[in-house]
Structures are given as structure tokens and as C-alpha cells.
Amino acid sequence: MSLPELLLASLSPATRSQAEQTLTNLSTTQPQFLTSLLGLVLESSQPLQARQAAAVYFKNAIKRRWNAEDNEELPIDPAEKTLLRSRLVPAMISLSSPSDKLLRAQVADAVGLVAAVDFPERWPDLLKVASIVTTQPATANTLLSGSTASNLETVAQAQNLLTSIYLDLTFHDIPPMFEDSVAAFFGAQGPDPDDGFFLRFLRWDPPALKGDPEDPVPTEPMRIKATILELCEMFTLKYNELLEARVPAFVRAVWELIGASGESVREDVHVAQAIKFLSVTAKTGLYTPLFSEDATLQGLAERIIVPSMPLRGLALLSMPHEQYLIVLPLTEHEIDQFEDDPLEYIRRDLSISTEGGSTRRHAASELIRALVSIGLEAKITAIVQGYISLGLQNYAQNPSGNWKSKDTAIFLLTAIASQSFTTQHGVTSTNALVDIIKFFSENVAQDLSADLPSVHPILQVDAIRFLYTFRYQLTKEQLTSVLPLLIRHLASANYVCYTYAAITIERILFMKTGKTPTFNFTDIEPYANNILTALFARMEIGGTPEKVAENEYLMKCAMRVIITSKHTLTATYPAILGRLVEILGIISKNPSNPLFNQYTFESLSALLRFVSLADSSSITQFEAALFGPFTIILQQDIDQFIPYVFQILAQMLETHSATLPEPYRALLPLLLTPPVWAQKGNIPALVRLVNAFLLKDVAKMETEGQLKTVIAIVQQRLIPSKLNDQYGFELIQTLVRTIPPSLLSTVYFGAILNALFTRLQTSKTDKFTYSMAHLVFFVICLKGEGLSADFVVSEVEKVQAGIWAQLFKGIILPEVSKTRTRDTKVIAVGLTRLLTESQYMLAPQAAEMWHNAFQALETLISSPKVVSGDVDDDDPDVALTAIDYEEQTAGYQAAFSRLAASQPAQFDAASYTKDAVAYTKQELQNALGRDPRIRSLLTSLPTSAWARSLLLGQAM
């Protein structure tokens, strides 16, 4: 196969695995493979899909292999690196046509990845880009002179790129050459209102570049304007002193720009950015007079509001400055998208779409909030409420014909009522001048309970969204009363309607009062099975793997219902499990949506967790249902799912209290083979599963010689790795807990320590030294036959006499001051046992070490971050209720996704005490009474408040 054919094959489920393996082999054996990939990206004669696949593969290879040492990958040949550095920026510039947008984004990411590693030492030529930007006036003059040259489109593309580079190079800090040339670009304070290239470009609209009005792709002038407005926003926020004198001129230009703009989709980006610039400018509070003067408000009304108000054609309200707002109607494009591309409509509406940016409506809403924030709350609320009333009146005259008026009224109410909000919690503070509950009951509730088509589906979605937005302003009783209506909408024929219903149900169940979930299993029990049945039916109707998995909001809602229901699903879990397994079987054929996959496995894990706690015998049914599909996933090497499978296998294994079932034991040899550990995404889940085997069957593993393999994995695969050393420490902790101390001492611990010392000598990192210190204190905390405070000390001394003092003084003790809150108990208790029980530390030659350790413990315990109480939260399911993946974006990563529901309770090495502070003080007092050496050591610490208190018998 040729390279383009291989890349296309990697996109097909039937050929993906083999194609990806071939590409992996080529990437490490074929000379200048990455250069060939970049060439394919630039080859316009090749299929676009192949070029896009090449661009993604190229970017990901750069990400993994450019800094190969840190990522533990095969390094790129230095000669090819030099070649790529010379070609990357020209390649990015050459991909300047609108059709190359996705390709350019990948190459731009690659430029950033290389620059982060190589600039400036190994890529000084990158600075030439800055000199290109400083010659921008030459390109600008060509365009602004009115040139009609045949290459005008190309020159405009170059200007757009130069403006984008200007933005990038001034984003983090403004270089001196840019600061010195601000006047040339933004203009200088003076009589000329058009002074400055950027201001002139905001008014630049050459007829030759107007393009087709029906084309949704922005023209080059529109792109340039959007970038300039983004620059203005950024300068207002970060370098206001450089732009301050020109802000009024830019505000006027923006008003004119919005007033002259139409409603076409291609104008959305720069119009939304223009409104955003006004919002940011107002919100700074530095330009309040600019927005509150009558003349300014009149200009807003005449040039912006009248042409773009959603209620145009109606008589304007006769109140001062009523055309104050920039609020746009729901466009025909948005209505078409509602019907033809509902999932993208939802994502844009929730403002989590990965492309497209903010809509005009969202930008206008931000402007309203900005004006409220600068003391215009009463005035703007009165104006908006007038328009809301006008919209509702217009709707009442002809509900079927004027539904857009009500949609706009609801939007305006939401905008003026919402003073602050978050994606996770909805509106968090509201405008005291707006009665949200009254508006809902009088104008929204009826649409929630109406049947289609008696109400337009967008109005029904508006009603559901209203609940979603203001859920924290409604009482639990009010939300409970509307829950049946939301459940009914899960059966709606409208895609947006049933999806928004699922989103709103999920967010309601996610609500918390303090740290406690607002809704518990008692609240959801009457509805849970109906919700799950409706959701599964919606997913399954898709048929193909891609369609079943396209709507992650449905599976997220199912996950939340299962988590909230807990054990109350025990009676009906077989049906729920069967539906989840059926969906898993479908999506396994072609995993396409990472979020849907995560929620599917999280749902399975949560169902297993709660049902098995209520009915331990249910584990056999879970195993019967899951072993089949899990075997297929492992046999077919579906790498996106394998980490999830390992975690749920570990969860099921831990559920067994008796003899380890044979199917698990048969799996163990496979888990200990090198190829399984070669996949980086598998390692955390593999460690989790091997830990479960150790806890259940360590004796058998020793008999079978498998413990030696586990130790070898720790020595060779985990501890030497900067990426995975933390999982090595996790595995070592379990080994220490499960292997009998005599066997550990005589056979295994020395090998573990040698691996740790080798890493300390060859590639020590801050993370590693902290983990090393934590491990020492963890082992010291453990109690049991053969374990003592001197166990670790004696084992270290076996490696080399005298090495404990070097390790303790040079590595372990300095890390105590860096103790993380969650580790405080282990480190405090471990240090206490070392001070009070270690014969080595109480020996005369260790007096200085003891003094330093005592003072470190005193500082640690006196710190406000020390926690008392159990290691775990009072709610063992607190991590589950926090599951929220809204911030994740689409696109697979070679990374591990932890299943919160599958996680076992954290092991407490010091479970014999609940309060680390009380334990430490009591043990020191007890030790003082039984060992005269401690009194002598304390006497040598006259500056220590603790030492004085102990010696005087006072409370510490």
C-alpha cells in the first residue's frame, strides 16, 4: 500500500488495526518518514481525507517523538529535525485557503510543539517570522490602496495570516518592536479617525472580495476584521495603556461595522467578536462614560439596534435609549441547523463546540452582563423587560406565526437575569430586579407540558433550557415536580428536545447542596427505570456504531441515573446490564466517540459497584454478561477499550471474597507478558488489575513464579520510566502489603531497592524523590508480624552499609516540607514511628538525624494543612458524584481514562489511628516515659516549643 492508501485504511474499522501497525513500523524504519507525511499534507492532488489523516498523524508523531527522551519514544533523526524546522513555517503559510483550515490547524500545532522544545536554542530562525510581521505595512498598503490586482485574494490571505501572527506574537508579552510600532497599527491620538492600519481594515470591504452571499465561509476581509477585533480585545485586557487613547475610535468603528453587517452565517464570526470587544471594553469599567452618554446610546440605536433587533417591524418602545441592546434574532441558519444538524446546534448552544466560536446571541448576552456590571443595572433591566413584554405580546397575537418573538423574549430574560454562570452549575447569581420564578410559571411552564405540534419545538427546547439554566434558582420540590415532564420529553420525536431533556435531567441529578448531592436514590427511585429504558431506546435506534455513539449526552444521563440510584437498581439490574452490554457490543465494532465510550464503561462500573454491594451473588451474572464482550475486546486489540476492561476486571476480582475463580487466574499470564505493557495507555489499568491479583492470590503467584515477573516489571518497565514511575510505586506498596515480610526481606525487597537507587543515581526528578520518601514512610506505617519501624532501615543498610543516613538526610527528610495534604497522615505517622521506635534512629551516632527529623515533624504537624480524621471522605462515593467530563474535547489521546466507579477505597497504612496530630503527640509522650534516650535528645533542642512542652509535661 502507498502512504495515502495506508492512511485511508487507518480510518476504516475493518482495516484500521493493520494499517496503524504498518504506519507505526514505517515511522520508525523509513528514513524521513515525517518529511514524507508533511509533503502529503501539502499535496493538493491527494484525497482530502488522506491529507487530513496525514496531518493528524504528523502532529501526533511530533508530539510524541520530538522530545523523545521525556516521552520515552524513539527519537527523530537530527538531520530530519533540521529539515522539518526549515519546512514547517512555510508549510503552514502555504495552507492558507479556507479549504485548508483543518490541515493548517494541525501543522500550526506541530509548529508550536517544536517551538516549545527547540526555540530559541535550536531554532533561532523562527525569529524571522517576527521580522515578516514588522513588514506587514507593505502588504496592508497594497490592499488599502484600492488595488484590484488579479492576486488580491492571495494578498488578502497573506494579510490575514500576518495579522494572526501579530496576535500570536503579542499574546503572552509584547516585544519592544511591537510596542514601538503600536501607533502604526492601532493609530495615534489625533484628528484622523482612520489613523492606523487596523482601524482602516475594519472599514475595508473591497467589491472584488465580497464573494457569494450564500456561501457560509467568511471572506478574507471578514477574517481579517475578526482577528483585529480579537487583537483589540486582548490589548484592552493586557496592554490597555497602549490602546487607551484609541478605544473610542475602535468602539465607533465597531458600532458602524455591526450596523452595516447582515444576518448571513459567514458574518457571524466577526460580528460576534465585535460585540465581544464592546463587552470587554465596557466590563473594564474604564470607559463607562463612553457607554452611558446619550449621544453614544443614540448612535447604538440608529446604527446597530434598529437594523438588527429581532422585533423589527414593531413599534419601538417610547423609553429613553431603548435601542440600547445588540440582540440578534434566531437566524434561519440556526433554525436549519436545529432541524438538519441538531447535535451541532446543541453543542453550539451549550458553548462547548470545538469549532465555530461564540454565536451572536451569546456575545450579546455577554454585553448585557457587562453593562449591568458597570452600574447600569436598573436602566438596562427596564429596557430589556420592555422588549420582553413586547415580544410576548407579539407572540400572543399569533402563536404559530410569531413564535420567534417568544423565543427572543425568553433569551432576553435569560440574558438579563443571569449575572454569572458556569458550565457545571448553570446560573450562580441573578439580577434581583428580575422575578425568574414568576416568568417561568406565567410564560414557560405551559410550553414544557404542551404536546408537539401545538407549540413550536424550539419553544419547547427553550422551556427545557430554562430549567437547565436556572436549576440552582429552583427549589428541590419545584425541580422534582417537573422531572416527570422532562422524562416525557425523552420520548419526543425531536432530536434537540429529547437530548436537552437528557442533559437537564443529568445536570439536575448532579446538583449539590454544599458537598452533598441534592437528589439521592430515594428521590430518583420512582423514575430511574423509565429514564434508563427511554435513554437506551434512543441510543439503540441509531443502528450503526457511529450513530449509536454520536450522542454522548444520552449515555451521560444514563450514567448519572445509575450513580444516583445506587443499590435501588438491584431488582432490575439484569435488564439494565443487558442493554449496556448490547450497546457495548455495537460500539466495539468502531469506537468513534471517546466521551460516549467513557460514560458507557462508567455506567457499567457504577452498576457493578452498587448492585454487588447490595447483592454479593450478583457478581456471577456480571461476569457471565461481561466476560464475552471483554474477551472480544482483548482478542481484537481494541486499544481504546482495553484500559476500561482491565479496570472493570479488577473491580469484579476485588468483589470476590473467596477463592479466586479460574477464568481470572487463566488471564494472569497474559497480563504479565511484555506486549501488554508496551501500550502506554494500558499501564495504569494493568497496575490496578495486578494489584487486585496480589491482594487476592499472592501465595499462588509466588508458587507459580509470577511474583518474580511482577518485580521485573517494576524494575525494568515502571521505575526507570519518568512517565510511569508513580505506578511502579503504587505496585511496590501493594507488594509490601501482601508479601510476607520474611519472604519480602530475603527474596524481593533488595531487588526493589536496587531499582530505586539506580533511578536516583541516573535520572532523579522531583516527582520521583517525593514518591521515594512517601514509600519509606508508607512502609514504616505498616504494622504486623515482621514489620517494624526499622524494617526499611535494615533493608536499606543491607544494600550498602551506611547508605540509610545518606538517603534519609539527602532525599527523604527534605521532602517532608513538600508534603501534600492527602499524604500528611502517612508521613506524620511514619515519621513519628521512626522517631519513637527505630533503634537505628535512637543510636548516639544518629542524634543529628533525630533532631532534624523531630523539627521537620513539629513543622509538619503545626501546619494548617494537616488534616485530622479518616483518609477517605465521609461519603465513600464522593468521587463518583464528582464525575463530570464536560470540559473534555473530542479526539483520541494515547492516555489513560480512569473509571471513578471502579476505584477501590484508598488503603490507609495508618488505619490504627484516625487523628495524625493526636497520635503524634501521644506517641512522643509515651516514648519519653519509656526511653531515657528520647529525654536526652529532647534536651538538646532548647529552641523547640514541642521539646520544651514534652520535657515539662505540658500539653503540646
Side-chain angles (χ1 to χ4, degrees):
M1 278 188 179
S2 66
L3 185 56
E5 289 171 336
L6 272 175
L7 289 162
L8 289 172
S10 71
L11 303 176
S12 170
T15 56
R16 180 178 58 220
S17 181
Q18 183 58 49
E20 287 179 346
Q21 185 59 51
T22 304
L23 286 167
T24 300
N25 293 337
L26 285 174
S27 69
T28 56
T29 58
Q30 180 177 303
Q32 297 193 349
F33 175 76
L34 294 177
T35 306
S36 300
L37 272 179
L38 184 59
L40 176 57
V41 173
L42 302 177
E43 183 51 67
S44 59
S45 63
Q46 293 291 342
L48 182 58
Q49 271 193 312
R51 296 173 67 200
Q52 289 175 343
V56 172
Y57 197 97
F58 177 81
K59 188 275 299 287
N60 288 337
I62 293 292
K63 185 176 183 179
R64 294 192 314 271
R65 297 180 56 201
W66 200 270
N67 193 13
E69 182 180 353
D70 285 354
N71 295 319
E72 298 175 8
E73 293 277 357
L74 188 70
I76 301 168
D77 181 73
E80 184 170 21
K81 277 191 171 184
T82 301
L83 183 61
L84 287 171
R85 279 191 290 262
S86 69
R87 294 185 179 182
L88 273 171
V89 174
M92 181 178 67
I93 293 173
S94 69
L95 295 168
S96 56
S97 70
S99 61
D100 291 335
K101 178 181 178 181
L102 296 177
L103 301 174
R104 183 170 64 250
Q106 298 296 329
V107 176
D109 284 348
V111 171
L113 291 166
V114 173
V117 177
D118 286 1
F119 181 78
E121 288 84 2
R122 291 182 292 277
W123 201 6
D125 291 348
L126 187 59
L127 284 175
K128 291 182 179 178
V129 175
S131 65
I132 293 172
V133 178
T134 59
T135 65
Q136 192 177 149
T139 309
N141 283 324
T142 300
L143 296 171
L144 296 173
S145 66
S147 171
T148 58
S150 58
N151 67 339
L152 190 61
E153 177 80 15
T154 303
V155 178
Q157 291 173 4
Q159 178 62 45
N160 181 32
L161 182 61
L162 289 169
T163 308
S164 297
I165 294 172
Y166 188 106
L167 174 64
D168 290 341
L169 292 177
T170 55
F171 186 79
H172 293 293
D173 194 11
I174 185 164
M177 69 175 70
F178 288 85
E179 187 170 354
D180 293 342
S181 61
V182 162
F185 290 95
F186 291 92
Q189 189 171 12
D192 184 1
D194 290 331
D195 188 24
F197 288 112
F198 288 157
L199 201 60
R200 293 168 66 190
F201 268 119
L202 289 181
R203 298 187 173 95
W204 180 66
D205 193 18
L209 297 181
K210 284 184 177 294
D212 182 0
E214 300 299 319
D215 187 352
V217 178
T219 64
E220 288 303 326
M222 292 174 186
R223 293 174 186 274
I224 293 169
K225 291 171 186 176
T227 306
I228 289 172
L229 290 165
E230 191 176 352
L231 264 166
C232 292
E233 176 194 343
M234 189 262 289
F235 266 68
T236 300
L237 291 171
K238 300 183 70 171
Y239 317 119
N240 182 66
E241 69 282 0
L242 299 176
L243 190 64
E244 184 176 9
R246 297 298 290 161
V247 165
F250 276 96
V251 168
R252 284 193 295 272
V254 163
W255 294 343
E256 294 170 7
L257 176 65
I258 298 173
S261 299
E263 296 181 10
S264 65
V265 177
R266 64 180 186 163
E267 296 179 81
D268 282 357
V269 174
H270 77 272
V271 172
Q273 186 61 53
I275 300 172
K276 190 177 179 184
F277 166 67
L278 291 178
S279 302
V280 168
T281 304
K283 205 166 187 177
T284 63
L286 300 173
Y287 306 99
T288 300
L290 192 64
F291 290 90
S292 58
E293 291 177 1
D294 289 353
T296 302
L297 295 176
Q298 188 61 38
L300 278 167
E302 291 177 359
R303 299 183 182 184
I304 300 172
I305 306 306
V306 173
S308 58
M309 253 302 192
L311 307 180
R312 70 189 70 136
L314 303 174
L316 293 173
L317 301 177
S318 55
M319 57 178 67
H321 318 311
E322 71 270 9
Q323 299 97 340
Y324 191 104
L325 302 173
I326 308 170
V327 181
L328 297 173
L330 195 64
T331 65
E332 289 303 318
H333 169 71
E334 289 170 313
I335 296 171
D336 291 342
Q337 192 177 60
F338 180 93
E339 297 168 352
D340 301 332
D341 191 3
L343 200 55
E344 182 59 21
Y345 175 90
I346 293 164
R347 286 172 177 156
R348 283 174 60 87
D349 197 47
L350 292 172
S351 298
I352 58 173
S353 176
T354 56
E355 294 181 21
S358 175
T359 65
R360 300 191 198 192
R361 284 187 143 202
H362 286 110
S365 182
E366 284 299 317
L367 179 58
I368 292 173
R369 279 189 281 271
L371 294 172
V372 167
S373 73
I374 59 173
L376 300 174
E377 183 174 351
K379 183 187 296 186
I380 197 172
T381 300
I383 294 170
V384 171
Q385 286 181 328
Y387 279 114
I388 291 169
S389 298
L390 190 59
L392 294 174
Q393 292 168 17
N394 192 47
Y395 170 75
Q397 294 171 6
N398 182 4
S400 61
N402 296 340
W403 65 266
K404 288 184 184 180
S405 296
K406 184 172 184 180
D407 169 75
T408 300
I410 294 173
F411 171 77
L412 282 170
L413 187 284
T414 302
I416 194 61
S418 311
Q419 289 193 337
S420 63
F421 66 93
T422 66
T423 302
Q424 191 176 76
H425 296 106
V427 171
T428 54
S429 65
T430 58
N431 184 340
L433 301 176
V434 179
D435 191 335
I436 297 168
I437 305 302
K438 180 181 179 182
F439 184 87
F440 174 76
S441 60
E442 292 180 355
N443 302 291
V444 179
Q446 62 265 39
D447 293 338
L448 192 65
S449 57
D451 293 320
L452 298 177
S454 62
V455 62
H456 195 282
I458 287 181
L459 291 183
Q460 200 155 71
V461 169
D462 285 343
I464 299 171
R465 191 199 298 108
F466 195 93
L467 292 175
Y468 165 83
T469 304
F470 294 108
R471 57 190 180 275
Y472 272 93
Q473 283 66 53
L474 300 172
T475 65
K476 180 177 178 179
E477 291 71 24
Q478 289 169 328
L479 291 170
T480 302
S481 69
V482 298
L483 196 56
L485 295 175
L486 291 172
I487 296 170
R488 184 167 68 88
H489 287 306
L490 293 175
S492 171
N494 184 272
Y495 192 108
V496 180
C497 187
Y498 69 69
T499 301
Y500 246 114
I503 291 168
T504 305
I505 292 171
E506 190 276 329
R507 289 289 87 184
I508 287 174
L509 296 181
F510 184 75
M511 291 171 63
K512 293 181 178 65
T513 304
K515 292 184 178 181
T516 305
T518 304
F519 290 83
N520 58 36
F521 57 84
T522 303
D523 302 314
I524 195 63
E525 185 176 8
Y527 311 108
N529 284 292
N530 289 338
I531 296 174
L532 292 172
T533 299
L535 290 169
F536 292 145
R538 279 291 168 205
M539 296 178 221
E540 292 165 352
I541 204 170
T544 66
E546 298 81 6
K547 293 297 290 182
V548 167
E550 75 171 3
N551 193 335
E552 68 269 14
Y553 302 109
L554 300 180
M555 187 57 83
K556 185 178 185 181
C557 183
M559 176 198 75
R560 187 69 60 199
V561 171
I562 292 170
I563 289 171
T564 308
S565 298
K566 295 190 175 181
H567 65 279
T568 60
L569 295 176
T570 302
T572 57
Y573 85 88
I576 300 168
L577 177 60
R579 301 292 285 275
L580 285 170
V581 169
E582 184 178 350
I583 290 170
L584 176 60
I586 295 171
I587 65 175
S588 294
K589 296 174 183 176
N590 184 27
S592 56
N593 186 339
L595 287 177
F596 188 94
N597 300 339
Q598 177 88 29
Y599 299 141
T600 300
F601 281 99
E602 200 73 73
S603 298
L604 283 166
S605 181
L607 188 66
L608 168 63
R609 176 177 183 145
F610 295 118
V611 171
S612 63
L613 283 173
D615 178 9
S616 59
S617 65
S618 65
I619 187 61
T620 57
Q621 188 154 349
F622 276 97
E623 290 169 340
L626 293 174
F627 274 178
F630 283 6
T631 300
I632 293 172
I633 289 168
L634 294 174
Q635 288 176 342
Q636 296 184 357
D637 194 25
I638 304 173
D639 56 355
Q640 300 96 328
F641 287 179
I642 288 176
Y644 295 128
V645 168
F646 286 160
Q647 289 175 84
I648 294 181
L649 284 172
Q651 186 181 355
M652 292 193 293
L653 177 54
E654 289 161 350
T655 304
H656 285 279
S657 56
T659 307
L660 187 70
E662 188 56 37
Y664 293 98
R665 188 171 282 123
L667 177 65
L668 185 55
L670 170 67
L671 301 179
L672 300 180
T673 58
V676 182
W677 292 84
Q679 297 293 327
K680 292 181 181 178
N682 289 349
I683 287 177
L686 275 169
V687 169
R688 166 103 164 80
L689 185 49
V690 171
N691 280 338
F693 274 101
L694 288 168
L695 290 166
K696 293 293 181 183
D697 209 25
V698 69
K700 182 72 172 179
M701 291 176 69
E702 162 63 17
T703 303
E704 297 290 333
Q706 292 165 331
L707 272 186
K708 291 182 179 178
T709 307
V710 174
I711 299 295
I713 290 169
V714 171
Q715 289 177 296
Q716 301 166 21
R717 177 72 67 176
L718 301 179
I719 290 302
S721 166
K722 293 180 182 178
L723 295 177
N724 296 312
D725 51 16
Q726 71 267 33
Y727 303 114
F729 282 107
E730 185 180 329
L731 201 48
I732 292 171
Q733 288 183 10
T734 307
L735 288 165
V736 174
R737 288 171 54 196
T738 55
I739 300 175
S742 59
L743 184 63
L744 186 66
S745 175
T746 56
V747 180
Y748 298 114
F749 207 58
I752 293 172
L753 287 174
N754 277 320
L756 295 173
F757 290 151
T758 299
R759 172 67 193 277
L760 281 173
Q761 291 174 335
T762 58
S763 54
K764 181 175 64 176
T765 63
D766 291 344
K767 182 182 73 170
F768 186 86
T769 54
Y770 181 86
S771 298
M772 180 77 178
H774 181 270
L775 174 66
V776 168
F777 291 121
F778 177 92
V779 179
I780 293 173
C781 280
L782 295 174
K783 288 186 176 182
E785 186 178 351
L787 291 174
S788 69
D790 274 328
F791 178 83
V792 174
V793 180
S794 61
E795 291 301 315
V796 169
E797 286 292 294
K798 283 182 188 178
V799 175
Q800 182 180 322
I803 199 173
W804 166 256
Q806 297 178 43
L807 178 69
F808 189 77
K809 289 188 287 188
I811 299 295
I812 297 171
L813 198 57
E815 296 299 318
V816 173
S817 62
K818 305 171 188 176
T819 299
R820 300 166 189 157
T821 301
R822 67 175 182 269
D823 299 329
T824 302
K825 183 180 179 183
V826 165
I827 291 179
V829 172
L831 199 50
T832 300
R833 292 198 70 197
L834 196 64
L835 287 168
T836 59
E837 300 177 33
S838 170
Q839 297 307 306
Y840 183 93
M841 292 291 288
L842 290 169
Q845 66 270 22
E848 183 184 355
M849 260 197 301
W850 196 96
H851 289 149
N852 292 337
F854 182 89
Q855 290 172 325
L857 178 62
E858 182 178 5
T859 301
L860 175 64
I861 291 296
S862 303
S863 169
K865 70 180 179 180
V866 173
V867 293
S868 297
D870 293 324
V871 172
D872 293 323
D873 194 278
D874 291 339
D875 179 6
D877 302 321
V878 67
L880 272 177
T881 59
I883 297 172
D884 193 24
Y885 304 104
E886 279 189 354
E887 302 302 320
Q888 293 187 9
T889 55
Y892 283 115
Q893 302 292 327
F896 169 67
S897 294
R898 187 180 303 276
L899 293 175
S902 81
Q903 298 307 302
Q906 182 181 348
F907 175 74
D908 184 2
S911 58
Y912 42 82
T913 179
K914 291 185 178 296
D915 189 333
V917 176
Y919 173 87
T920 295
K921 294 179 178 179
Q922 186 62 52
E923 286 299 304
L924 286 169
Q925 290 170 346
N926 293 343
L928 178 63
R930 69 172 180 262
D931 195 326
R933 291 174 297 180
I934 292 181
R935 178 173 294 277
S936 174
L937 288 164
L938 289 173
T939 304
S940 304
L941 290 172
T943 60
S944 167
W946 269 24
R948 289 196 302 272
S949 297
L950 281 167
L951 291 171
L952 294 172
Q954 299 173 346
M956 297 166 61

